[in-house]
Amino acid sequence: MTILEAAEAAGRLTLAGSVDELLEMAVPQDQVDPEGYYTVGYDVPGKGVVNECKVCRVPNGIAANYLDPYMRRRDPDCMLIADEQHTDKATFKERFGRSFDKDRAETLEWLSEQPIAAFFFETGLPGNPLTGLAICPANAGFFGLGLALLQGIVPIEKVLEAGDDYYHEAVVYVAPPFRHTHFDGKQVVVHNRRFDDNVRLHELFSYNLYPGPSAKKGVYGMLLTRGERADTPWTTAHCSTVQVVTPYDNVTTIMHEGASGGGKSEMLEHMHRAADGQLLLGKNLVTGDVRSLTLPRGCELRPVTDDMALCHPELNPDGSAPNRLSLMDAERAWFIRVNHLTQYGIDPVLERLTVSPPGPLLFLNIKAVPGATTLIWEHTEDEPGVPCPNPRVVVPREYVPGIVKKSVTVGIRSFGVRCPPCTQEHPTYGILGMFHVLPPSLAWLWRLVAPRGHGNPSIVDQGGMQSEGVGSYWPFATGRRVDQANILLKQITDTASTLFVLIPNQHIGAWDVGFAPQWVAREYLARRGATGFPAGELKAARCPLLGYHKEKMTVEGQTIGNWFFDVATQPEVGVDAYNTGAELLTNFFNEQVQKFLHEDLDPEGKKIIEACLDGASVEEYDGLLTSAV
């Protein structure tokens, strides 16, 4: 209130109540340069004016391009905890050797001296949402626009009508110059959970202008915290969800989880076809051989969620979907990465939507000229000849064709992993076949470990195999691993009739496959439905962590052979290289799952982790929890 009152008294407060107002603030027409760009910058003591971003109006929305390539991706170490509540995350005091109190006071003081844009937003369960307030410097209108599109802006009239009954449980403060004055140029997002007998407020301090870590993932952390603190704990899954309608009118709902780059957005996309209409299944990196698949008619896709799914118990209050998970979208817009769209014609549906949308979009890290249509396949370059790997577009979900507006019940729950190539000369963990069927116990383990995988385009590269942590949403959670592990274990135990599958992308052994495995698996699994596989139809994988796989598969009369299911049978890989990859994967799992051996872990979870550390067989995993296999 100090910030808002100071800004109002000085005539520097804009209280926005609609997206249209934030659109105008994103590019003030009286402040653009002769070419039509609005530059967002701040006076930094000792450095002068530091420009952060160039923003412009285009016919299809607003385009923002960061001047520092580092700001075009999320820094995986940006999140810090400032409070004394339970957490396994890095704290502000650990990182900087001081309490956050002084930085917090200086942030509020700086904001109280700035022209301010503020607005209310809501996120979470309709009827019982998490209510929040965003306070940004007025020249960062594009950032506020991104937050308002992603989470949903509340009209001022609604707040005034509620009067004293309106209570916001979250506040987002945006102070970009502190990145330079306090944090050595790094992205920093600080969560300050103020929960006691007198206060129920989740504060988030965003010291950068990239919406990913704060406007999106910061609010995600708020939702995870709320679910963790509920009387009946629940979570917000990191996933895409799609209803797949086969040519025979069968409907199967697939929930696809995974770390950043795991194929969540791609699960909602139609297959990328070659000029002759075929799907490129893969290209052998050693021999140059190419395999394609002809699918005359793909399934109809009805998108449900793109990245965040609210898995709240009230979504199935009457038990009408026993042993299945019900979910709905936790966002009002989608933060879609388009690095894989490198030329016109790859994804006609998304291209058509973004070239001529029903309303304005927000483009990030995409080439833009004021007054000219921004094209999602023309990416900003980090340096000459090197395109930014993380171009994004924010698309309101009501613009998406065929969008499902209600909650859905999940039949198939898949997990995506970016895999490197694996060959005899260079063995790696890229030993996953086209898809694997997992017992529920293994499905839980994969969600604990959540490998970030090979060549991740969304975040600053750390090199090697990394874990994105429990649920693949751990980078955004504020509490303890063990609490989220228990929530996920109960969720999987309660929904054990779900079919759990594991799907790689980018590579299967020596084959470069892109996202073809999940598109083919989606078409095949939707056609056969979400029922379990009969005894004898699946074979235990050589690496027990990979559960079961088929030996071959027929899709619309075409057979995909053993090479794509058992990587050890590929001549370029062989059993020895496969075993080396299996050892790498097993060692990585053993290292990661030990972090969850906590006294508060559910006893069933402890049994599963101990089985993993003891080198359990697939059959032993199958006996730990009820299986759909």
Side-chain angles (χ1 to χ4, degrees):
M1 289 304 298
T2 302
I3 298 169
L4 300 182
E5 288 169 354
E8 185 176 30
R12 295 185 276 100
L13 175 64
T14 300
L15 198 56
S18 69
V19 166
D20 288 342
E21 292 176 69
L22 291 169
L23 276 167
E24 294 302 318
M25 296 187 70
V27 186
Q29 290 305 302
D30 59 345
Q31 299 180 48
V32 299
D33 64 22
E35 295 180 333
Y37 293 100
Y38 176 61
T39 301
V40 180
Y42 300 92
D43 188 15
V44 177
K47 292 188 175 183
V49 175
V50 176
N51 292 325
E52 296 278 358
C53 192
K54 290 182 72 173
V55 190
C56 66
R57 287 295 298 259
V58 293
N60 43 347
I62 299 291
N65 276 290
Y66 300 93
L67 301 177
D68 181 355
Y70 164 72
M71 286 304 302
R72 297 170 186 162
R73 286 185 281 179
R74 174 172 58 87
D75 188 325
D77 297 322
C78 67
M79 178 182 174
L80 297 171
I81 305 298
D83 55 68
E84 301 298 323
Q85 307 276 337
H86 289 305
T87 187
D88 289 333
K89 286 302 187 61
T91 66
F92 188 91
K93 191 170 185 177
E94 289 169 347
R95 177 79 60 85
F96 296 107
R98 62 182 186 267
S99 166
F100 182 61
D101 292 346
K102 185 171 182 292
D103 298 77
R104 180 181 183 276
E106 290 174 353
T107 304
L108 301 183
E109 181 181 359
W110 181 83
L111 283 167
S112 67
E113 298 170 352
Q114 307 302 311
I116 290 296
F119 60 90
F120 294 91
F121 64 90
E122 292 182 349
T123 185
L125 188 70
N128 185 24
L130 174 71
T131 53
L133 171 67
I135 300 177
C136 314
N139 69 342
F142 83 93
F143 179 95
L145 173 64
L147 175 56
L149 289 173
L150 287 164
Q151 308 302 341
I153 190 168
V154 179
I156 296 300
E157 295 76 18
K158 180 178 178 180
V159 178
L160 294 175
E161 185 179 313
D164 292 341
D165 292 334
Y166 194 91
Y167 179 80
H168 58 268
E169 303 170 66
V171 183
V172 178
Y173 300 97
V174 184
F178 280 58
R179 179 166 80 92
H180 306 286
T181 57
H182 289 62
F183 307 121
D184 196 29
K186 298 296 184 182
Q187 295 176 25
V188 171
V189 176
V190 180
H191 288 258
N192 191 37
R193 300 165 296 174
R194 301 173 61 193
F195 304 135
D196 56 37
D197 293 338
N198 301 314
V199 180
R200 190 175 79 251
L201 185 66
H202 193 143
E203 295 181 330
L204 185 142
F205 292 82
S206 177
Y207 296 112
N208 69 91
L209 283 177
Y210 178 45
S214 41
K216 181 175 173 61
K217 301 306 187 185
V219 174
Y220 194 173
M222 292 175 172
L223 277 177
L224 290 170
T225 302
R226 196 177 206 220
E228 193 176 286
R229 288 168 46 82
D231 292 337
T232 302
W234 51 273
T235 196
T236 302
H238 194 204
C239 70
S240 63
T241 313
V242 62
Q243 285 188 334
V244 186
V245 184
T246 73
Y248 321 111
D249 296 326
N250 295 323
V251 180
T252 300
T253 301
I254 301 177
M255 171 186 182
H256 185 71
E257 298 162 274
S260 297
K264 292 183 292 297
S265 292
E266 288 77 10
M267 185 58 83
L268 305 178
E269 294 180 6
H270 290 276
M271 296 176 290
H272 295 182
R273 296 178 182 269
D276 62 0
Q278 293 191 94
L279 169 67
L280 176 64
L281 195 57
K283 179 178 180 180
N284 192 296
L285 296 172
V286 177
T287 66
D289 289 349
V290 172
R291 293 288 185 275
S292 297
L293 193 67
T294 301
L295 282 176
R297 182 182 173 188
C299 292
E300 176 190 346
L301 304 180
R302 297 174 182 168
V304 183
T305 77
D306 175 69
D307 187 70
M308 292 165 53
L310 199 72
C311 303
H312 198 284
E314 290 185 20
L315 296 178
N316 184 30
D318 58 358
S320 58
N323 301 319
R324 293 289 175 92
L325 179 65
S326 294
L327 57 81
M328 65 176 295
D329 205 340
E331 299 182 285
R332 299 289 185 89
W334 294 351
F335 197 56
I336 302 174
R337 188 182 67 248
V338 292
N339 65 301
H340 60 296
L341 304 182
T342 56
Q343 60 185 6
Y344 171 74
I346 293 177
D347 187 344
V349 175
L350 187 59
E351 291 164 13
R352 185 185 311 114
L353 173 62
T354 56
V355 166
S356 183
L361 310 177
L362 176 62
F363 300 89
L364 301 168
N365 309 325
I366 297 175
K367 293 177 182 178
V369 176
T373 300
T374 297
L375 306 174
I376 56 175
W377 57 89
E378 295 185 351
H379 308 150
T380 298
E381 293 185 336
D382 282 356
E383 56 185 83
V386 180
C388 171
N390 192 36
R392 296 275 183 168
V393 57
V394 181
V395 179
R397 70 187 312 272
E398 64 263 27
Y399 296 176
V400 179
I403 194 78
V404 176
K405 298 180 180 180
K406 59 182 181 179
S407 63
V408 298
T409 299
V410 175
I412 298 173
R413 194 166 173 178
S414 60
F415 196 91
V417 184
R418 294 183 76 89
C419 288
C422 177
T423 62
Q424 291 177 359
E425 291 75 17
H426 300 288
T428 70
Y429 61 90
I431 58 172
L432 278 67
M434 181 157 291
F435 73 86
H436 295 262
V437 178
L438 302 179
S441 57
L442 267 178
W444 180 67
L445 280 184
W446 274 94
R447 282 156 182 78
L448 294 192
V449 175
R452 187 175 288 152
H454 168 75
N456 188 289
S458 301
I459 62 170
V460 176
D461 187 24
Q462 294 178 311
M465 195 177 187
Q466 303 290 325
S467 170
E468 194 122 302
V470 57
S472 80
Y473 54 69
W474 177 243
F476 329 126
T478 62
R480 303 189 305 170
R481 290 184 187 87
V482 66
D483 296 325
Q484 291 296 333
N486 285 337
I487 291 171
L488 277 178
L489 180 62
K490 186 175 190 310
Q491 185 188 77
I492 287 177
T493 302
D494 290 348
T495 61
S497 62
T498 305
L499 180 65
F500 296 97
V501 298
L502 179 69
I503 305 176
N505 66 65
Q506 305 313 307
H507 299 91
I508 293 177
W511 290 79
D512 182 351
V513 294
F515 290 98
Q518 70 183 51
W519 292 328
V520 173
R522 181 185 66 195
E523 295 288 322
Y524 172 78
L525 292 171
R527 282 166 165 80
R528 72 174 302 280
T531 56
F533 286 81
E537 190 172 335
L538 298 175
K539 179 181 179 181
R542 297 171 189 266
C543 175
L545 292 172
L546 302 183
Y548 300 90
H549 64 78
K550 291 182 70 66
E551 294 193 78
K552 61 181 180 179
M553 184 173 79
T554 302
V555 184
E556 297 293 288
Q558 297 161 91
T559 299
I560 300 174
N562 201 25
W563 286 356
F564 286 98
F565 292 95
D566 182 356
V567 169
T569 63
Q570 294 181 13
E572 301 80 17
V573 180
V575 173
D576 290 343
Y578 180 101
N579 289 341
T580 300
E583 184 179 359
L584 291 171
L585 191 64
T586 300
N587 291 341
F588 183 71
F589 263 67
N590 289 347
E591 173 190 338
Q592 297 300 322
V593 298
Q594 292 185 65
K595 299 175 183 178
F596 296 91
L597 287 175
H598 188 283
E599 60 182 0
D600 292 336
L601 181 66
D602 185 291
E604 288 299 314
K606 185 179 179 183
K607 288 180 185 177
I608 296 170
I609 289 177
E610 288 175 344
C612 176
L613 296 174
D614 290 341
S617 66
V618 180
E619 292 78 11
E620 288 171 320
Y621 282 119
D622 214 359
L624 289 172
L625 292 174
T626 304
S627 173
V629 176

